[in-house]
Amino acid sequence: MPHRLLKFGFNKEHPEPRMFHAPAQLKDEYDVVIIGGGGHGLGAAYYLARDYGITNVAVIEKGYIGGGGTGRNTAIVRSNYLTNEGARFYQASIELFQDLSREFDLNLFYSERGHFTLAHSPASLRTQRWRAEVNKHLGIDSEVIGPSEVKRLVPEIDLQCGGHLSPIHGALYHPPGAVARHDAVAWGYARGADRAGVEIHQQTEVTDIEIRDHAVIGVHTDKGFIKTGKVLSAVAGWTTAITPMVGLRTPLTVHPLQAVVSEPLKPWLDKIVVSASLHLYVSQSARGELVAGASLDPYELISMRSTLDFTEGVSSHLVDLFPMLGDIKIMRQWAGLCDMTPDFSPIMGTTPIDGFYIDAGWGTWGFKATPISAKTMAATLAEDKDHELIEPFNLSRFSRWQLVGEKGAASVGH
Amino acid sequence: MKIIHCPINGPRPLQEFHFGGQVREMPVGSQVSDAEWADYVFNRSGEPGIQREWWYHTASGTWFIAERDCQSDEFIRTYLYGGRESDA
């Protein structure tokens, strides 16, 4: 076997690309240029081809596909949001996720775990009841459970949180809450789009966007100019570097969000546990590692550096909740960028510039929205009109004072 | 440990500080349109590069302004509003 592998490695003529082709150079013109090769951008390319037959599309990625928010989140999928607009949108996303492995013919390890949002105070329990009622009204499986039920479902949990915090009063329980292999979502969309004829250009950076008479006419990249009438910016944490190119103002500010994984353990935690008061969410991956994230870094920063402060904080909170983890080691840590909006909802759809579409403001809720945002953005590009599900999320909501206050978002204090 | 130069107290660890957001000029509410007011309330520059920010030294209750590169996290300089300056 090693001999065959070695021969394969030195062979100039590989049988076929594993997931997608690497086109040699950019064409002069595309119908659509998508900036950002994450799940959202690649997904939009995939649905443009599948649902609308638009295949003369280039996805331009500055780094490598799935290397931004797509590969840096904690892979949680859920729909128990607080607003009608949000819950409806994320529920549609879950429904697409549930069928995605089959559609891609690629195992996304989509695993329904049940999602707990712990309440450490009566006030927090009240918000969760409100969320549960909104969810039930929209047909989303969600309910409030008491401390004894939490203990029954997650026996390792310390309901007293080590005495450092007020004890667990209950939890919002969302059985369809799931985890998935996040980079495979990007690969699945990339392969599907590639097979339909979409070009994926990695290591290619957009340097400017050419506008004439309030309409997009092309994109400058470090590998030359491309003529196009439609540009989708799907770069999440890097959006504030793109919007000045078209003179668009947004409410986005960028904060890093850090995460860690522990050394692998035998399976013991088959649920996703979130505590807003402890700034913690944790699940166990298929490899046995505990994947844990926290709240946003406390000040604006467009950098994916890691800090010891964070590791100390997240470790101490993990031990508050699960005292038996005292001797477990943290294996790695990383950060991703969160482009935060003031109302914790995304910014999606058309903009005042003809042919410039935005898919941003993904803060801490981007991965779970990948399939539905890709699908609705593809519809928006193809029809040049905001898809009905994303109308409330248009950038113009800020000048109209019609915010979508989404307090069900992760890392948001209640 | 990250160190920030407080214009009053000199170099102090990051943990003693609180971020107060970008420095912005507030327009006179009665003299601008709803759209201009909304732009002030919601929109931020958010661009990579050096920005002027409010910072608060919690231990001494000092608000001051920092010019900071929000990509490299480097503090260029810090100074009191309209007053004393300290090189970071």
Side-chain angles (χ1 to χ4, degrees):
Chain A
M1 197 56 171
H3 177 68
R4 260 182 63 196
L5 190 64
L6 204 64
K7 235 175 95 182
F8 181 85
F10 285 108
N11 189 353
K12 293 247 177 318
E13 312 243 329
H14 294 298
E16 62 175 305
R18 265 184 72 211
M19 297 304 278
F20 55 92
H21 297 83
Q25 55 196 151
L26 290 162
K27 288 196 282 190
D28 295 334
E29 187 171 354
Y30 294 95
D31 295 335
V32 176
V33 170
I34 296 173
I35 311 173
H40 286 231
L42 293 163
Y46 173 86
Y47 292 114
L48 272 174
R50 193 197 75 173
D51 298 348
Y52 301 94
I54 300 173
T55 56
N56 185 23
V57 175
V59 178
I60 310 289
E61 166 57 51
K62 161 170 95 161
Y64 56 95
I65 72 160
T70 302
R72 291 168 183 276
N73 57 71
T74 44
I76 298 170
V77 179
R78 64 183 175 91
S79 64
N80 56 348
Y81 277 72
L82 182 61
T83 60
N84 267 323
E85 296 89 342
R88 226 158 48 108
F89 178 74
Y90 293 102
Q91 179 60 18
S93 202
I94 277 210
E95 283 161 17
L96 286 174
F97 255 123
Q98 286 166 342
D99 197 37
L100 216 50
S101 290
R102 196 188 55 77
E103 182 167 342
F104 289 163
D105 192 19
L106 179 71
N107 192 350
L108 301 182
F109 287 70
Y110 188 81
S111 162
E112 287 188 359
R113 298 290 185 85
H115 181 284
F116 293 77
T117 314
L118 303 176
H120 296 266
S121 68
S124 158
L125 203 57
R126 202 157 51 233
T127 312
Q128 301 192 345
R129 265 189 218 291
W130 177 14
R131 269 168 78 177
E133 292 312 315
V134 170
N135 293 165
K136 283 180 205 163
H137 176 67
L138 295 167
I140 295 165
D141 192 357
S142 184
E143 61 178 324
V144 171
I145 58 175
S148 54
E149 190 66 1
V150 173
K151 186 74 183 169
R152 191 182 69 79
L153 291 163
V154 191
E156 295 81 2
I157 210 162
D158 176 6
L159 291 175
Q160 303 303 318
C161 298
H164 298 134
L165 263 184
S166 62
I168 293 167
H169 285 59
L172 180 67
Y173 180 43
H174 178 46
V179 289
R181 196 174 143 211
H182 47 199
D183 28 17
V185 174
W187 299 337
Y189 278 126
R191 183 169 70 174
D194 177 81
R195 281 180 183 163
V198 169
E199 290 184 7
I200 299 165
H201 293 269
Q202 302 186 94
Q203 303 287 316
T204 306
E205 188 172 350
V206 169
T207 53
D208 203 2
I209 298 170
E210 197 77 27
I211 307 275
R212 191 176 296 157
D213 300 329
H214 304 289
V216 169
I217 56 166
V219 172
H220 292 276
T221 75
D222 56 357
K223 293 185 181 155
F225 179 73
I226 319 166
K227 236 170 92 176
T228 184
K230 285 187 178 183
V231 170
L232 167 62
S233 170
V235 297
W238 287 270
T239 303
T240 55
I242 297 289
T243 44
M245 295 178 187
V246 294
L248 210 55
R249 280 174 58 75
T250 72
L252 297 172
T253 56
V254 181
H255 293 250
L257 179 74
Q258 302 188 52
V260 293
V261 295
S262 74
E263 57 186 319
L265 308 170
K266 282 187 179 172
W268 63 273
L269 179 66
D270 61 355
K271 302 284 189 283
I272 304 162
V273 178
V274 178
S275 163
S277 305
L278 284 172
H279 301 299
L280 179 73
Y281 34 94
V282 59
S283 66
Q284 190 171 21
S285 76
R287 282 193 297 246
E289 301 153 345
L290 293 177
V291 183
S295 57
L296 295 173
D297 277 19
Y299 59 96
E300 289 175 31
L301 185 63
I302 310 180
S303 162
M304 296 186 289
R305 58 99 177 90
S306 296
T307 65
L308 181 61
D309 273 7
F310 161 75
T311 321
E312 286 175 345
V314 81
S315 308
S316 96
H317 291 147
L318 266 172
V319 176
D320 280 344
L321 218 48
F322 299 111
M324 72 205 216
L325 295 179
D327 291 331
I328 300 305
K329 292 181 177 55
I330 296 294
M331 200 165 64
R332 29 191 192 96
Q333 73 179 108
W334 69 93
L337 297 182
C338 296
D339 45 335
M340 300 301 292
T341 53
D343 58 357
F344 306 100
S345 289
I347 296 174
M348 300 179 73
T350 52
T351 67
I353 298 130
D354 283 345
F356 185 78
Y357 304 85
I358 192 164
D359 177 60
W362 284 113
T364 63
W365 44 90
F367 174 65
K368 62 181 70 66
T370 304
I372 194 62
S373 75
K375 198 170 172 190
T376 51
M377 283 312 298
T380 303
L381 260 88
E383 289 161 7
D384 197 26
K385 179 177 159 295
D386 289 337
H387 184 279
E388 171 262 331
L389 261 185
I390 63 167
E391 271 171 17
F393 303 134
N394 192 284
L395 176 62
S396 65
R397 74 175 182 273
F398 298 102
S399 49
R400 289 183 283 113
W401 297 85
Q402 287 179 349
L403 274 60
V404 187
E406 188 48 88
K407 286 190 177 149
S411 310
V412 179
H414 301 294
Chain B
M1 187 190 297
K2 192 160 182 66
I3 302 289
I4 299 177
H5 286 247
C6 170
I8 297 284
N9 302 286
R12 306 295 306 171
L14 174 71
Q15 287 76 1
E16 290 184 10
F17 294 87
H18 189 82
F19 174 64
Q22 297 166 14
V23 176
R24 301 173 309 125
E25 291 299 320
M26 184 170 74
V28 180
S30 58
Q31 290 173 11
V32 293
S33 67
D34 284 357
E36 284 167 315
W37 184 249
D39 179 69
Y40 164 73
V41 172
F42 297 118
N43 288 341
R44 300 290 181 272
S45 87
E47 286 173 51
I50 295 168
Q51 63 181 27
R52 288 175 72 223
E53 301 167 336
W54 285 107
W55 282 79
Y56 181 64
H57 182 240
T58 318
S60 66
T62 313
W63 278 107
F64 62 95
I65 294 173
E67 287 174 14
R68 184 178 66 98
D69 186 323
C70 64
Q71 259 184 308
S72 65
D73 202 14
E74 185 189 348
F75 283 77
I76 315 294
R77 54 192 201 123
T78 56
Y79 47 93
L80 294 176
Y81 181 74
R84 254 197 291 170
E85 200 170 303
S86 130
D87 286 325

